[in-house]
Amino acid sequence: APSARTRHYFGCDDNGRDVLSRMLCGAKVSLLVGLLAVGLSGLLGVAIGALAGYAGGWLDTLALSRLMEVMACFPTFFLILTVVAVMDPKYLNIWTITLVIAVTSWTGMARYARAEFMKMKGADFVSAARALGASPLRLAVRHILPNALTPLLVNASFEVAGAVLFEAAISFLGVGVQPPDPSWGNILNLVTRYWDQWWLGLFPGAGGT
């Protein structure tokens, strides 16, 4: 149990390992997954959303917007859970979890990017650049994208917290980061086997929240 005398301030787990030390190491894993997953999903979402918003027409209506709507129909957590559940456990590590979260959670960023590009492609500064002979690619990358980044970065900051919670949730269910690698989720999973060891649920649960 937690004890200041033994310097195990958050107690120990079933193998005698210090919970506080594992939580600190698990924080690195959880935050790494969150940041990388949002970075990858952001790149994918901004690319698809920018193309849909800037091109418009049939490409937006018949292809890209329908793709976003189909992906948004599936609850993200259950889609992630389904993908990792059918994977071979030996491939479940922080890199595959990051990739799965990124590939299944890009639609939010794509919708923001699409809306910003649709709003700005008719702005005066874009019309001026077009009149000076700027190519469509230059208009999108050098003129519209920098001005659209503010709401995208704000949305990305919220997405990081969501990705950390996704990783903790699937690790808690046993299909995420596998022991002995620490994660807030798989540390918290121990309390399901040792209900009387309250510190195994309190401290990792509070940290993940």
Side-chain angles (χ1 to χ4, degrees), residues 38-54 64 68 105-117 140-141 144-146 148-149 151-153 155-156:
V38 170
L40 290 174
S41 68
L43 289 176
L44 181 60
V46 168
I48 293 175
L51 181 60
Y54 187 78
L64 299 178
M68 285 186 268
S105 58
W106 55 268
T107 53
M109 194 71 73
R111 286 196 296 265
Y112 274 98
R114 176 177 177 271
E116 290 298 314
F117 270 71
V141 175
I144 300 179
L145 182 59
L149 280 180
L152 295 177
L153 291 176
N155 182 63

Side-chain angles (χ1 to χ4, degrees), residues 83-151:
V83 172
V84 297
V86 299
M87 290 179 63
D88 191 323
K90 68 181 180 181
Y91 297 119
L92 290 176
N93 53 48
I94 61 173
W95 309 113
T96 55
I97 298 301
T98 297
L99 185 60
V100 168
I101 293 175
V103 170
T104 54
S105 58
W106 55 268
T107 53
M109 194 71 73
R111 286 196 296 265
Y112 274 98
R114 176 177 177 271
E116 290 298 314
F117 270 71
M118 289 184 70
K119 179 177 69 175
M120 291 187 180
K121 69 180 181 181
D124 290 341
F125 69 91
V126 176
S127 300
R130 186 181 293 111
L132 291 173
S135 66
L137 181 61
R138 183 180 179 86
L139 286 173
V141 175
R142 294 292 301 274
H143 296 279
I144 300 179
L145 182 59
N147 290 282
L149 280 180
T150 300

